[in-house]
Amino acid sequence: MFDVLIVGGGASGFYAAIHIAENNPNLKIGILEKGKDVLSKVKISGGGRCNVTHAEFDPKELSKNYPRGEKEILGPFHTYCSGDTVGFFSEKGVNLKIEEDGRMFPESNSSQTIIDCFLTETTKLGIKIITQNAVVNMETLSEEKGWKITCVKEIFKCKKLLIATGSSPKIWSILKGLGHTIVPPVPSLFTFNTKDNRISKIPGVSTNAKVKVLSKNKVSTKITVPLKSALKQEALLETEGPVLVTHWGLSGPAILKLSAWGATILNGLNYKFTIAINWLPDFHEGAIVDYLMKIKEVEAKKTILRTKAVELPRRLWINLVKASGINETLKWADVTKSQLHLLADQLTNCKINVDGKSTFKEEFVTAGGVDLKEINFKTYKSKNLPNLYFAGEVINVDAITGGFNFQNAWTSGYIAAQAIASEF
């Protein structure tokens, strides 16, 4: 029998347990984990460095990084934001550092520092950790008696139950059986697979670009990634940012944003679609033609292939020139206007067919989960069932890469903890 039982031994579960215990040291608290080890996702995150949070300290700006949950999570961020996370770890002796792109890591550059911090605190606070004991069933007993949790090895009872299992089909299924609505899960944060000769042999090339996702069918739905410089043309999805050429296709912040914001749409397209890339986001096709005509006058004696008339990685420029049908020996003086239009099209409207996706590094982020309408975001308490709370990705909140998914874990874990502790 526990006062509070937390199902899920991950980031949000541990964070909640620690804050509950700090608020009320007399409570008997347990963390229930189906696997052999706790905090396994924390261990591999950020390439083993753990991208703890992001250096965005304005709640409204922070919430814009959440394709699902942006409106709902704004209030919670006003209660507990990135700065509070930094303060928590600092109090525990774990200092964080900010990298150029805003991501924040422990100064040790090791996720083990975060894991050790959590394990030290749970031991100090007397929180019981139970591993290798998967949940089979959950049932509510009554408002007074709480919950009965049936696991593979034993049965537990608790007054308050917090679900922090992340993307768990088994737990979602149980919650659905208990009356909660589950938004069907689809992958988020993935890279695009493509076999296109223009990029297949230049892995490692990176440049800023505008990217649109086009549909083969006429679809009226349109989502625009909320960036100031988003494209205006009609498209299913569109954004601007760094694009990285990989061995299997395309990655980088722009691609990952599209995969997150378009998780449901791209799933509906079975990850087979066409993208249009403007490799020169400061130009449209007409403007780049005029610019190339000026280069034709100035660099008349030079070959087009070797000139690199625009700010692009040289290998990419060469491939796009070749894709325009311009041979290696053609000089600017001899290029025709129609050839320049073909080159301009490759530079500003480069269409590439995408066929499938790949997981981005160690990120296993899923869109979907408990419907947000069924959660009170002042407490993270279920509106449908008594004595039940949620934290982390078990609910339909997910973010782009950069420490934002962890911040959701910390914020939801903290707020749920305050609400739970206050009820004893």
Side-chain angles (χ1 to χ4, degrees):
M1 181 70 195
F2 287 90
D3 292 309
V4 183
L5 193 60
I6 295 163
V7 181
S12 58
F14 268 79
Y15 209 69
I18 291 166
H19 281 96
I20 294 168
E22 287 182 340
N23 271 272
N24 194 335
N26 297 320
L27 295 178
K28 186 178 180 184
I29 303 165
I31 297 175
L32 195 56
E33 167 58 41
K34 69 175 182 179
K36 182 181 178 182
D37 299 309
V38 294
L39 301 164
S40 55
K41 193 171 179 180
V42 171
K43 188 171 184 63
I44 63 172
S45 72
R49 294 197 297 147
C50 189
N51 186 184
V52 176
T53 187
H54 200 92
E56 175 53 75
F57 304 106
D58 180 282
K60 189 171 183 180
E61 291 302 312
L62 183 61
S63 69
K64 291 179 180 178
N65 295 284
Y66 296 79
R68 282 145 294 274
E70 177 181 348
K71 292 179 182 177
E72 290 82 359
I73 207 166
L74 178 57
F77 280 157
H78 276 287
T79 299
Y80 197 87
C81 202
S82 311
D84 299 298
T85 300
V86 174
F88 168 83
F89 284 106
S90 178
E91 288 173 9
K92 309 300 180 190
V94 178
N95 292 321
L96 305 181
K97 61 176 181 177
I98 304 173
E99 301 208 334
E100 283 186 14
D101 57 4
R103 293 181 302 162
M104 298 190 73
F105 295 88
E107 288 183 346
S108 66
N109 273 329
S110 173
S111 58
Q112 193 61 44
T113 302
I114 305 299
I115 294 171
D116 291 344
C117 169
F118 284 156
L119 294 178
T120 298
E121 291 302 311
T122 50
T123 300
K124 186 195 303 180
L125 294 163
I127 297 165
K128 187 173 177 62
I129 299 172
I130 306 153
T131 57
Q132 293 180 286
N133 214 349
V135 172
V136 176
N137 192 36
M138 303 186 299
E139 56 184 299
T140 178
L141 301 174
S142 68
E143 184 78 45
E144 296 75 29
K145 292 184 178 179
W147 285 81
K148 177 183 176 183
I149 312 299
T150 304
C151 297
V152 291
K153 294 180 180 178
E154 53 196 312
I155 295 172
F156 301 94
K157 289 182 181 179
C158 62
K159 294 173 184 175
K160 305 290 178 185
L161 177 63
L162 173 64
I163 306 297
T165 48
S167 304
S168 169
K170 173 65 177 176
I171 298 300
W172 280 333
S173 177
I174 294 173
L175 289 169
K176 187 175 182 180
L178 289 167
H180 263 292
T181 304
I182 304 300
V183 177
V186 295
S188 182
L189 283 186
F190 50 84
T191 59
F192 295 174
N193 293 353
T194 180
K195 295 178 181 177
D196 190 289
N197 290 332
R198 289 166 291 183
I199 60 172
S200 62
K201 294 180 180 179
I202 55 170
V205 164
S206 178
T207 188
N208 200 65
K210 288 180 181 178
V211 188
K212 296 189 293 183
V213 172
L214 310 174
S215 174
K216 294 177 182 177
N217 305 313
K218 290 184 179 179
V219 182
S220 59
T221 307
K222 182 184 176 185
I223 297 178
T224 302
V225 179
L227 296 178
K228 293 177 182 177
S229 54
L231 286 171
K232 302 296 183 185
Q233 294 94 327
E234 187 65 29
L236 283 180
L237 299 154
E238 48 193 43
T239 192
E240 178 181 340
V243 173
L244 172 68
V245 179
T246 69
H247 289 286
W248 60 88
L250 294 167
S251 184
I255 301 301
L256 294 171
K257 282 174 187 169
L258 288 176
S259 74
W261 286 89
T264 303
I265 290 175
L266 299 183
N267 179 263
L269 294 173
N270 198 30
Y271 308 105
K272 297 179 188 295
F273 50 90
T274 301
I275 58 174
I277 304 178
N278 182 347
W279 298 105
L280 301 170
D282 292 333
F283 290 91
H284 55 75
E285 185 177 349
I288 195 64
V289 170
D290 292 341
Y291 178 76
L292 293 175
M293 290 296 289
K294 291 177 182 176
I295 297 296
K296 174 181 165 71
E297 296 174 11
V298 176
E299 305 286 4
K301 295 181 180 180
K302 294 183 179 179
T303 60
I304 297 170
L305 200 71
R306 293 186 179 182
T307 306
K308 195 172 84 80
V310 292
E311 286 299 317
L312 274 184
R314 180 166 294 280
R315 289 189 294 165
L316 178 60
W317 165 259
I318 290 171
N319 283 5
L320 295 177
V321 170
K322 288 180 178 178
S324 308
I326 295 171
N327 65 46
E328 295 182 18
T329 59
L330 187 67
K331 295 180 180 179
W332 284 100
D334 302 320
V335 70
T336 65
K337 192 165 184 179
S338 63
Q339 286 176 311
L340 289 183
H341 274 284
L342 288 172
L343 177 56
D345 187 64
Q346 290 291 335
L347 291 168
T348 61
N349 192 32
C350 181
K351 291 185 174 68
I352 293 176
N353 290 320
V354 175
D355 185 9
K357 61 176 177 59
S358 293
T359 301
F360 174 65
K361 296 183 179 179
E362 72 291 328
E363 298 276 5
F364 295 96
V365 176
T366 301
V370 178
D371 195 310
L372 304 185
K373 295 186 183 72
E374 299 174 356
I375 300 164
N376 179 347
F377 279 88
K378 291 182 179 178
T379 58
Y380 280 83
K381 189 174 186 179
S382 166
K383 292 180 180 179
N384 297 14
L385 297 162
N387 304 306
L388 178 64
Y389 298 79
F390 301 103
E393 287 180 40
V394 69
I395 66 176
N396 188 25
V397 172
D398 64 283
I400 62 173
T401 186
F404 301 106
N405 282 297
F406 269 135
Q407 186 55 50
N408 171 47
W410 314 138
T411 295
S412 56
Y414 172 85
I415 292 176
Q418 303 307 304
I420 290 169
S422 70
E423 293 198 3
F424 286 93

